[in-house]
RNA sequence: GGAACGAUGGCAGAGUGGCCAAAUGCAUCCGCCUUGAAAGCGGAAGCCUCGCAAGGGGCCGGGGGUUCAAAUCCCUCUCGUUCCGCCA
């Protein structure tokens, strides 16, 4: 959530920042929030005054009783009873306003970072680095889509995956399955120098999925286990962000860095028929996520670090890649500033988004109530959260199959993965 | 799934209608002492919110109720612990 106080003290600034996203309705919601907030404060002040009087009278009753003055006690009780009536109705109104304001605020997006590039949508995202590792041209034998190569090699069996679970579920087998696991191991090992490995739950509560901004707006995108009130996580960002929810951290504990390898589940509602072949878009996939809970002053540098770490893993795999920055029109609800890493897949002839690194400012942390205490100072502050995909398996896996395909149809195992693949150097054509 | 007990400040833990924002201990911060530290001694200090301020209001797991007045009584939900049952 954005800070209501900022909306009070600098309404024009908030308005201008949000306007950069190019969604007129956001500004309507913003006005609604400002109006509700003003009304709420009016009512709350009035309610508080009534409460003060009731509190004073209650004390007076106790004192009068003790002094043996039954008549005075009785009089104070009568007055207090009357005040109680109006106090209750004011309190009810205040509660209503508060929950209405909360509902509106939950759906208002984060403010873009001033340096985030302006733009109307995906097509306006600028390339900020690369292409790197990009050959001048690709030989014909690399112009084969991964689903054809992998199926022929017997390492991808989507027919059976579909039999088991339905469309958009994949199944890797043999060295294909091993390579999927190897990719995760590589990503974990490359970040183990600074990140604590977590194995979080992959089914989470509604509160947890709300903290990251996935609810209430994007309920249709997540798999729900309604009977138990649980949701399947779309990314490890969800449980990792809530790791310290409701806690007050010591400033010296920041930045807190954690990582996790989990399955991720996405309904991909509305994308039926798109990218359904191969592994470009699936309901369930594996990913290693790295996440930091940082002091606001550390956040900008942390964003750079996360980008560098995610980029490093792609680079060590020898894949052609580039980095784009997400423009204001394409920025996700919770996002303050984001970079995507894209890998080129010659078989599909497409740039594939394989990693997204983002800074959420205090937007998620306010929802999750993650605070920190400055050493030697009173009070608490909201922390900042950042995260990035250290490695998302399916698209990287697909890009390897396409980029490392040889003329005989076999696929060379990238050097960096060999230690995790029992020494296999090639996935042989049978 | 059944039963019992529990949930209080950063942590531990008293408190069973008004004198309670709440004892005490640990941790924290400031000072004294010390070459420095520890120990010791003295002091400060919960969180949220409204307000320029003075000050006000709220918060004892969440929600509801009883009462002039609730951490305290009642209902309900959630979570935890232990025992039984089941089980990788």
């Amino acid at each position: 959530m954005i800070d209501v106080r900022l909306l009070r003290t600098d309404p024009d600034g908030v308005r201008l920042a949000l306007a950069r996203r190019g969604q007129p309705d956001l500004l309507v919601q913003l006005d609604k929030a400002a109006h509700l907030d003003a009304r709420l404060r009016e009512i709350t002040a009035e309610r508080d005054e009534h409460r003060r009087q009731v509190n004073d009278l209650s004390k007076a009753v106790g004192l009068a009783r003790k002094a043996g003055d039954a008549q005075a006690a009785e009089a104070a009780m009568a007055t207090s009873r009357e005040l109680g009536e109006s106090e209750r109705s004011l309190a009810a109104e205040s509660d209503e306003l508060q929950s209405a304001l909360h509902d509106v605020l939950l759906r208002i997006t984060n403010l873009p970072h001033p340096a985030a590039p302006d733009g109307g949508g995906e097509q306006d995202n600028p390339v900020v680095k690369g292409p790197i590792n990009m050959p001048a041209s690709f030989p014909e034998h690399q112009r084969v889509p991964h689903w054809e190569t992998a199926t022929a090699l017997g390492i991808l069996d989507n027919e059976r995956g579909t039999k088991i679970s339905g469309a958009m579920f994949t199944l890797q087998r043999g060295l294909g399955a091993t390579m999927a696991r190897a990719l995760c191991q590589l990503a974990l090992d490359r970040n183990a120098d600074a990140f604590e490995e977590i194995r979080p739950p992959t089914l989470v509560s509604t509160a947890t999925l709300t903290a990251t901004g996935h609810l209430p707006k994007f309920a249709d995108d997540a798999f729900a286990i309604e009977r138990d009130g649980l949701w399947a996580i779309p990314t490890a960002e969800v449980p990792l962000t809530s790791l310290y929810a409701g806690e007050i951290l010591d400033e010296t504990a920041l930045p807190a860095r954690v990582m996790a390898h989990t399955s991720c589940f996405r309904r991909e509602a509305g994308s039926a028929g798109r990218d359904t072949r191969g592994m470009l878009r699936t309901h369930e996939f594996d990913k290693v996520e790295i996440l930091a809970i940082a002091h606001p002053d550390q956040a900008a540098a942390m964003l750079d670090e996360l980008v560098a770490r995610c980029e490093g893993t792609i680079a060590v795999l020898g894949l052609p890649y580039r980095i784009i920055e997400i423009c204001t029109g394409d920025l996700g609800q919770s996002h303050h500033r984001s970079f995507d890493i894209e890998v080129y897949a010659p078989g599909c002839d497409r740039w594939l988004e394989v990693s997204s690194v983002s800074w959420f400012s205090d937007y998620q942390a306010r929802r999750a109530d993650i605070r920190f205490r400055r050493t030697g100072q009173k009070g608490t502050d909201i922390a900042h959260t950042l995260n990035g995909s250290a490695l998302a398996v399916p698209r990287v896996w697909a890009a390897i199959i396409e980029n490392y395909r040889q003329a005989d149809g076999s696929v060379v195992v990238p050097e960096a993965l060999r230690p995790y693949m029992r020494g296999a150097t090639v996935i042989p054509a049978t």
Side-chain angles (χ1 to χ4, degrees):
Chain A
M1 277 186 291
I2 61 167
D3 187 356
V4 217
R5 273 169 294 190
L6 189 61
L7 183 55
R8 287 205 284 259
T9 55
D10 185 17
D12 296 337
V14 172
R15 199 177 173 73
L16 282 172
L18 270 186
R20 296 181 62 213
R21 284 180 177 265
Q23 300 171 41
D25 181 58
L26 265 178
L27 302 179
V28 175
Q29 295 304 311
L30 196 65
D31 289 341
K32 194 171 166 189
H35 177 259
L36 282 169
D37 177 56
R39 181 83 186 123
L40 174 63
R41 278 186 301 157
E42 246 173 65
I43 295 295
T44 305
E46 214 177 314
R47 183 204 62 186
D48 286 356
E49 174 56 23
H50 276 71
R51 284 194 175 163
R52 187 186 64 75
Q53 292 178 29
V54 170
N55 288 344
D56 288 349
L57 282 166
S58 294
K59 267 187 198 125
V61 171
L63 290 173
R65 284 252 171 95
K66 201 172 278 181
D69 189 347
Q71 210 173 353
E74 205 51 52
M77 280 165 69
T79 317
S80 183
R81 247 190 299 265
E82 274 169 41
L83 272 169
E85 293 288 315
S86 52
E87 190 271 340
R88 260 188 293 278
S89 82
L90 284 167
E93 194 178 345
S94 156
D95 287 351
E96 257 168 57
L97 283 166
Q98 193 159 21
S99 94
L101 175 61
H102 189 71
D103 285 351
V104 173
L105 283 175
L106 274 181
R107 290 163 190 271
I108 291 178
T109 61
N110 198 1
L111 309 179
H113 188 282
D118 281 302
E122 211 177 332
Q123 67 286 349
D124 297 326
N125 294 336
V127 175
V128 294
K129 184 170 182 179
I132 289 169
N133 237 334
M134 189 75 167
S137 68
F138 287 86
E140 267 319 294
H141 65 259
Q142 286 182 13
R143 293 293 186 185
V144 180
H146 63 277
W147 55 85
E148 284 179 20
T149 303
T151 305
L153 291 175
I155 59 172
L156 182 68
D157 190 352
N158 279 356
E159 224 172 282
R160 289 195 172 89
T162 302
K163 176 177 76 180
I164 295 167
S165 298
M168 291 173 80
F169 282 93
T170 68
L171 187 153
Q172 299 96 256
R173 55 197 306 167
L175 282 174
T178 306
M179 190 167 83
R181 189 167 47 76
L183 284 166
C184 294
Q185 190 66 55
L186 172 74
L188 288 169
D189 282 2
R190 284 183 59 86
N191 293 294
D193 59 308
F195 289 73
E196 181 191 1
E197 185 173 355
I198 307 285
R199 177 42 255 230
T202 43
L203 299 182
V204 299
S205 66
T206 298
T208 297
L209 198 61
T210 304
T212 41
H214 292 93
L215 291 179
K217 231 171 163 178
F218 305 103
D220 284 349
D221 296 337
F223 281 103
I225 295 115
E226 288 182 49
R227 176 171 155 170
D228 296 295
L230 293 169
W231 304 79
I233 58 167
T235 157
E237 162 191 338
V238 170
L240 291 182
T241 297
S242 284
L243 185 65
Y244 295 114
E247 298 188 32
I248 300 170
L249 303 169
D250 198 288
E251 183 180 33
T252 57
L254 302 179
R257 303 174 207 235
V258 289
M259 62 176 176
H261 163 214
T262 67
S263 286
C264 302
F265 304 89
R266 300 186 180 180
R267 286 188 70 218
E268 299 293 350
S271 59
R274 246 172 57 204
D275 303 328
T276 44
R277 304 190 72 182
M279 296 177 63
L280 300 187
R281 191 181 295 276
T282 60
H283 283 317
E284 174 179 354
F285 63 94
D286 276 28
K287 179 161 65 65
V288 173
E289 186 80 2
I290 52 179
L291 180 143
I293 293 164
H295 190 292
D297 297 346
Q298 301 166 332
M302 181 56 72
L303 180 65
D304 293 342
E305 181 187 331
L306 294 185
V307 170
R309 283 178 177 272
C310 294
E311 176 186 356
T313 302
I314 295 302
V316 82
L317 286 168
L319 296 167
Y321 72 92
R322 65 183 187 187
I323 301 179
I324 61 169
E325 175 159 14
I326 307 303
C327 72
T328 52
D330 193 30
L331 216 49
Q333 143 144 346
S334 307
H335 301 59
H336 185 50
R337 194 172 191 191
S338 295
F339 294 90
D340 278 4
I341 301 174
E342 295 184 332
V343 157
Y344 183 72
C348 311
D349 187 23
R350 285 178 55 178
W351 286 95
L352 306 177
E353 178 193 331
V354 295
S355 176
S356 189
V357 182
S358 304
W359 174 10
F360 302 91
S361 64
D362 59 2
Y363 188 89
Q364 293 181 327
R366 180 170 293 105
R367 289 168 163 247
D369 189 25
I370 307 166
R371 291 174 290 163
F372 69 94
R373 196 186 304 280
R374 293 175 199 265
T375 313
Q377 277 188 41
K378 283 196 66 170
T380 55
D381 283 293
I382 311 276
H384 279 206
T385 57
L386 307 100
N387 66 49
S389 353
L391 198 134
V393 169
R395 292 178 189 169
V396 174
W397 192 96
I400 289 172
I401 299 300
E402 296 186 8
N403 278 285
Y404 281 86
R405 188 173 192 271
Q406 301 182 98
D408 67 355
S410 66
V411 170
V412 170
V413 174
E415 198 86 44
L417 289 180
R418 293 178 190 174
Y420 305 111
M421 292 190 66
R422 305 182 194 102
T425 56
V426 67
I427 301 175
T430 43

